[in-house]
Amino acid sequence: MTSLQAELDARKQACHQAWTTFVEHGDLAASLVRPEILSSWTRSGRTIDTELAAAPLGDEAEASARWRGSPLQIAVERVESDLRRTAQDGDLVLAVTDPDTRILWTYGGRIMRRKAETVNFVAGAHWDDESAGTNALDLANRTDGPAMVFSAEHYAPMVHNWVCWAAPVHDPATGQQLGVIDLSTTWDRSHPIGLATARMMARLIENALPHSRHHPTAAGPTSDPDDTGDPGLVFTLLGTAEARLDGRRLVLNRRQTEVLALLALHPEGLSLEQLHALLYGDQAVTFSTLKAEVSHLRSALGGQLSSRPYRLLMPIETDVEHLLALLRRGRVAEAVECYGGDLLPGTNSPALTELGEYVAVAVREALLETPDPDAVLRYAERAPYDTAVVERCLAVLGERAHPARPLLRARLAAAR
């Protein structure tokens, strides 16, 4: 058993012990689980039985009518190939809900699709916690923020073998919450970038919504990565961080840079609590400290930062969104050119750390699939010890002559 498997197994056992304590003794489980899980367990326990075998199905015709022609349906159809690929590659089941946590659309990998059908994880089913027990879809809808529920953190044992990550989907122009997207698989396939992936899938859908003010299509931060427009905020996050507002370089401290990064990557806005969680995680930092950082940042931005929620009020362009847009279009060499290195190296923001891992893995996997020699050479400058990508490129080249071959071999030798 690998260390990761052992860790997941121990975590699963701890979750089951906490769940058993709650079912048998109620509030004695308060110190064993996250507060939002305990609150959801309490709501679930009032309305459902632990023997629940499947989520209740609503009026299928009504759900279909609500989905058909909706902005969510249009957006999902525009990026459906990306969503399906994610589900297939990770053997996940994906679901999109309305704000009442009624599932409107699903797509699943081979294994999870069958498991989902047995518990009515299908279009038309109600997955609010008072109908189906604690789950990530409900938490993301209730908190208007990303959520993960692992194994027996679910209230209903029918999904104790699952891990779910969900993130809300907003209309970027109005901030209105339209529903959530959820990614689910078996608990033993849990991965640290699961929550970051859910957030990126939510952003993908938001970018594809019709009549979106900041992001008119699913392509990325602008309607075309080649767009030469002059957005108000241009933010480089990969490698050396630099933010420019209307062409003027902003002088920010580390925390202000991280706050600005989180707001730039969440154009729909963040509440004080959401921003605190994304920035500090479990660190013992007061809300007053965060408010002070936001106040200084607002001054640096000339007041273009609203409150309740915190939201940037200018057009935004980031190299992260640009890179991911290029990858979605299969333009791997251009994406590698855009990849300046790790996202905010040294950050201890859990959200930015997860996103950085997601971007790094996305670039690496794209190169392993499409190992363009020149792109691999550029990548090797950023990740000199990643020999697998260089080896893959040399293997694909075979005996064919290419100017990059000796340089690739030199890179490999140096890394070894």
Side-chain angles (χ1 to χ4, degrees), residues 347-378:
T347 181
N348 56 9
S349 158
L352 293 173
T353 298
E354 284 186 12
L355 178 58
E357 292 173 353
Y358 177 85
V359 171
V361 170
V363 171
R364 186 176 189 273
E365 291 297 318
L367 281 172
L368 287 171
E369 185 173 326
T370 310
D372 174 86
D374 293 324
V376 170
L377 277 175
R378 287 193 294 273

Side-chain angles (χ1 to χ4, degrees), residues 324-353:
L324 294 173
L326 290 167
L327 288 181
R328 284 194 290 270
R329 291 184 166 193
R331 293 157 63 171
V332 177
E334 294 171 71
V336 174
E337 190 71 39
C338 180
Y339 183 58
D342 292 341
L343 189 150
L344 289 183
T347 181
N348 56 9
S349 158
L352 293 173
T353 298

Side-chain angles (χ1 to χ4, degrees), residues 376-395:
V376 170
L377 277 175
R378 287 193 294 273
Y379 172 77
E381 294 173 2
R382 307 282 185 251
Y385 299 106
D386 192 349
T387 57
V389 173
V390 178
E391 289 171 345
R392 165 70 174 156
C393 185
L394 286 169

Side-chain angles (χ1 to χ4, degrees), residues 276-309:
H276 189 280
L278 295 175
L279 183 63
Y280 299 113
D282 296 329
Q283 297 177 60
V285 179
T286 65
F287 285 129
S288 297
T289 298
L290 176 55
K291 287 179 179 179
E293 297 287 10
V294 172
S295 178
H296 289 304
L297 178 60
R298 182 180 289 111
S299 296
L301 297 174
Q304 297 187 70
L305 198 171
S306 69
S307 300
R308 300 180 185 174

Side-chain angles (χ1 to χ4, degrees), residues 83-396:
L83 299 177
R84 287 174 177 261
R85 190 179 308 114
T86 299
Q88 291 163 355
D89 290 347
D91 205 6
L92 303 160
V93 59
L94 272 58
V96 174
T97 79
D98 64 12
D100 298 321
T101 324
R102 173 174 49 182
I103 294 179
L104 300 177
W105 174 90
T106 64
Y107 180 82
R110 179 177 54 86
I111 295 174
M112 285 304 299
R113 183 174 63 250
R114 292 199 298 268
K115 293 179 182 292
E117 290 170 350
T118 64
V119 295
N120 283 345
F121 196 80
V122 296
H126 292 276
W127 277 81
D128 58 284
D129 60 10
E130 294 175 330
S131 299
T134 305
N135 62 84
L137 300 86
D138 178 84
L139 284 181
N141 252 332
R142 285 181 183 274
T143 64
D144 197 19
M148 180 188 76
V149 176
F150 176 83
S151 183
E153 288 182 331
H154 292 92
Y155 182 78
M158 66 179 181
V159 283
H160 276 188
N161 283 330
W162 289 32
V163 58
C164 304
W165 304 276
V169 177
H170 299 88
D171 182 334
T174 66
Q176 178 186 2
Q177 184 180 334
L178 303 178
V180 304
I181 181 167
D182 175 88
L183 289 66
S184 297
T185 188
T186 53
W187 68 269
D188 55 323
R189 296 173 66 88
S190 183
H191 195 281
I193 67 169
L195 202 57
T197 304
R199 287 200 297 266
M200 293 308 300
M201 292 295 100
R203 184 63 52 79
L204 184 69
I205 294 172
E206 289 171 350
N207 290 340
L209 287 166
H211 311 303
S212 171
R213 183 172 68 186
H214 290 307
H215 306 290
T217 74
T222 61
S223 61
D224 191 305
D226 297 325
D227 192 329
T228 57
D230 185 24
L233 179 69
V234 179
F235 204 173
T236 300
L237 293 165
L238 300 170
T240 302
E242 181 179 89
R244 291 184 177 273
L245 180 59
D246 298 329
R248 175 178 57 90
R249 185 174 182 272
L250 298 176
V251 179
L252 307 171
N253 67 26
R254 181 74 179 192
R255 278 302 188 198
Q256 291 160 12
T257 299
E258 291 173 334
V259 171
L260 183 60
L262 289 168
L263 293 175
L265 295 165
H266 293 81
E268 73 281 359
L270 294 167
S271 68
L272 175 64
E273 293 77 10
Q274 290 170 333
L275 182 57
H276 189 280
L278 295 175
L279 183 63
Y280 299 113
D282 296 329
Q283 297 177 60
V285 179
T286 65
F287 285 129
S288 297
T289 298
L290 176 55
K291 287 179 179 179
E293 297 287 10
V294 172
S295 178
H296 289 304
L297 178 60
R298 182 180 289 111
S299 296
L301 297 174
Q304 297 187 70
L305 198 171
S306 69
S307 300
R308 300 180 185 174
Y310 292 132
R311 183 168 178 264
L312 297 176
L313 301 178
M314 75 290 284
I316 304 161
E317 179 83 41
T318 73
D319 56 347
V320 174
E321 298 279 12
H322 183 58
L323 181 149
L324 294 173
L326 290 167
L327 288 181
R328 284 194 290 270
R329 291 184 166 193
R331 293 157 63 171
V332 177
E334 294 171 71
V336 174
E337 190 71 39
C338 180
Y339 183 58
D342 292 341
L343 189 150
L344 289 183
T347 181
N348 56 9
S349 158
L352 293 173
T353 298
E354 284 186 12
L355 178 58
E357 292 173 353
Y358 177 85
V359 171
V361 170
V363 171
R364 186 176 189 273
E365 291 297 318
L367 281 172
L368 287 171
E369 185 173 326
T370 310
D372 174 86
D374 293 324
V376 170
L377 277 175
R378 287 193 294 273
Y379 172 77
E381 294 173 2
R382 307 282 185 251
Y385 299 106
D386 192 349
T387 57
V389 173
V390 178
E391 289 171 345
R392 165 70 174 156
C393 185
L394 286 169
V396 171

